[in-house]
């Protein structure tokens, strides 16, 4: 397996927040392509549905490859959500009519990492 981030070198940290539905396929595609990723459970704010947050370390030269893998495995799609009633006397997030929303896809952050050390 190829190393996609070398210890001691400056690398990029890619943080990708994706829909839970896409997590297994994305992890499989990343590992098949030689990338290591840390996967964490997270929750979205609007729908309070499950997301998965991936942290991926990559040399700068492989960032576009990671982004392509994310694009291929995390498709945006439309979903109709039913009305939601207020919970515990809170109107935060309350809506009273069915709505069609976009779910899936990915929100990606790319951050410079000064040093990557694997012990």
């Amino acid at each position: 397996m190829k190393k996609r981030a070398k210890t001691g070198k400056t690398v990029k940290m890619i943080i990708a927040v994706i829909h839970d539905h896409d997590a297994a396929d994305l992890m499989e595609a990343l590992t098949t392509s030689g990338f290591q990723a840390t996967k964490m459970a997270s929750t979205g704010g609007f729908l309070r549905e499950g997301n998965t947050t991936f942290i991926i370390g990559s040399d700068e030269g492989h960032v576009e490859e990671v982004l392509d893998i994310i694009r291929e495995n995390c498709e945006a799609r439309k979903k109709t959500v039913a009305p939601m009633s207020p919970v515990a006397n809170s109107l935060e997030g309350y809506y009273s009519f069915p709505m069609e929303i976009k779910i899936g896809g990915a929100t990606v952050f790319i951050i410079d990492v000064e040093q990557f050390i694997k012990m």
Side-chain angles (χ1 to χ4, degrees):
M1 178 160 71
K2 297 183 236 176
K3 291 212 174 192
R4 299 301 187 149
K6 294 181 183 166
T7 299
K9 284 189 75 176
T10 301
V11 297
K12 299 289 186 178
M13 180 170 51
I14 302 164
I15 301 171
V17 181
I18 67 161
H19 195 274
D20 275 346
H21 179 79
D22 299 322
D25 290 340
L26 179 58
M27 183 59 95
E28 177 69 26
L30 287 168
T31 55
T32 299
S33 298
F35 294 100
Q36 295 179 352
T38 298
K39 183 173 91 162
M40 300 180 296
S42 53
T43 304
F46 178 64
L47 293 177
R48 293 175 179 80
E49 287 188 348
N51 290 329
T52 300
T53 300
F54 283 81
I55 299 176
I56 307 151
S58 173
D59 291 333
E60 190 168 4
H62 293 105
V63 170
E64 281 303 316
E65 186 178 352
V66 172
L67 293 175
D68 288 342
I69 292 168
I70 293 169
R71 280 185 199 102
E72 291 168 10
N73 290 278
C74 303
E75 291 185 33
R77 50 203 168 272
K78 291 182 180 179
K79 175 181 178 180
T80 301
V81 293
M84 185 175 174
S85 62
V87 177
N89 298 326
S90 170
L91 293 178
E92 178 185 348
Y94 174 72
Y95 52 96
S96 61
F97 49 90
M99 295 184 352
E100 186 172 86
I101 58 165
K102 183 176 112 176
I103 63 168
T107 300
V108 180
F109 303 89
I110 302 172
I111 302 168
D112 290 328
V113 175
E114 186 176 318
Q115 192 174 29
F116 168 70
I117 302 169
K118 188 165 185 170
M119 297 183 193

